[in-house]
Amino acid sequence: MSRIAGRFTRVEPRFRVRKLVLGLLSDLPRKNCWTISEWAGERTPDGMQHLLGRAKWDADRVRDDVCDYVVDHLHDDKAVLVVDETGDVKKGTGTVGVQRQYTGTAGRIENAQVAVYLVYAGRRGHAAVDRELYAVHGCGSSPSRTRRAKPTATPDADIVGSLTGVRPGLHGDPAHGHVTFA
C-alpha cells in the first residue's frame, strides 16, 4: 500500500483504500461497497462510495503503480497478457456504458455494462493491470456518460509495453472478439 499512498492527498482516503483492497482480496462471497464496508467494520457504505465516486485521486496513476508492482514482483519471461471482457447486468440506464446488449454473464440481451480487462498471468501469480469501459455508439444521450467510456476499449499500449518490454499497437474491439496487435 505504501506504493500508492502518495496518490491520495488526504489521510482518510489512504486508510479507506487499504480497507477496500483488503476487502477485494478477502473471501467475501459478494463484493460491493456494502459488503466490503461491513467487512471493514464501517456502519454504512458512504465512505467507500465517497472514495470511489468523489474523492480526489488519479485511478490511472494508481493503475501505473500496480503495473510497476507486478513487474517488480511477478516478472516471468513466459507470462501472458489476457484480454477479457466481462458484462455486468444493470437494472437501470443511469450508469455509464449501460445499454441493452448481449452479455455472457446473463447469456442473453440485457441492460448491461461491459468492461474490458487486461490481466498479467505468469508462474508467480496473476494481476489485473488495466481496465476500460466499453461503450457502443449511442450508449446514452448524456455527454458526461459517454465521455467516461471509450467507443472501443483496448488495453493501453503503454501498459502492455511496461509489462512486456514491447510496446505493441493494440487495435480493435475485444468486447466483440476483434483485437489485433500491430
Side-chain angles (χ1 to χ4, degrees), residues 7 58-72 75 79-83 116-121 127-132 150 153-170 181:
R7 303 296 182 202
D58 188 337
D60 290 337
R61 304 247 349 233
V62 171
R63 176 210 51 208
D64 295 346
D65 292 340
V66 169
C67 286
D68 290 345
Y69 178 88
V70 168
V71 169
D72 291 348
H75 179 74
V80 295
L81 295 173
V82 180
V83 179
V116 179
Y117 297 95
L118 181 66
V119 176
Y120 179 95
V129 293
D130 198 11
R131 80 284 174 255
E132 287 296 341
K150 291 186 175 182
T154 56
D156 187 303
D158 290 330
I159 298 302
V160 173
S162 72
L163 295 168
T164 64
V166 177
R167 189 181 183 283
L170 293 162
F181 296 88

